[in-house]
Amino acid sequence: QVHLVESGGGLVQAGDSLRLSCAVSGLTFDDLAMLAWFRQTPKKAREFVAAVSRTTSTFYSDSVKGRFTIATDNAKNTAYLQMNNLKPEDTAVYFCAASHIFTLQSPQYSAWGRGTQVTVSS
């Protein structure tokens, strides 16, 4: 059974950085097609943030491109989301998710973590 556990969220000020981690157990990145980060607020639907494929291709939403970086450490079976120059609009619960197919669509992701809260004050 696949488990994903996020960590690294917190309260920061605008312009600060955070690094989120997603520890994966039950399978390795070689078993996956995609590992992604999504985020959600009470007022907005879950939205795509970033993803990395098994071939290490990376994908970003326009709102985070140039500020966020997704990466994986296969030895640790952990994925990361480095978030720089954070903005108040980045405030959300961040989820990591795993998919066995190549997709950026959240309904296609079969395994999800419980999320970690990121709050950016202005």
Side-chain angles (χ1 to χ4, degrees), residues 1-69:
Q1 189 172 2
V2 181
H3 288 283
L4 292 83
V5 179
E6 303 94 338
S7 61
L11 171 63
V12 297
Q13 293 186 331
D16 286 350
S17 298
L18 275 177
R19 189 177 77 160
L20 304 183
S21 299
C22 175
V24 180
S25 60
L27 47 70
T28 68
F29 291 131
D30 286 341
D31 299 321
L32 297 172
M34 303 288 288
L35 191 291
W37 289 92
F38 294 84
R39 65 187 181 187
Q40 188 168 19
T41 69
K43 296 184 178 180
K44 293 176 65 175
R46 188 169 294 181
E47 67 170 342
F48 168 77
V49 176
V52 58
S53 73
R54 182 168 53 217
T55 60
T56 69
S57 296
T58 56
F59 307 86
Y60 298 94
S61 68
D62 288 342
S63 61
V64 307
K65 196 173 296 182
R67 298 188 297 123
F68 290 13
T69 303

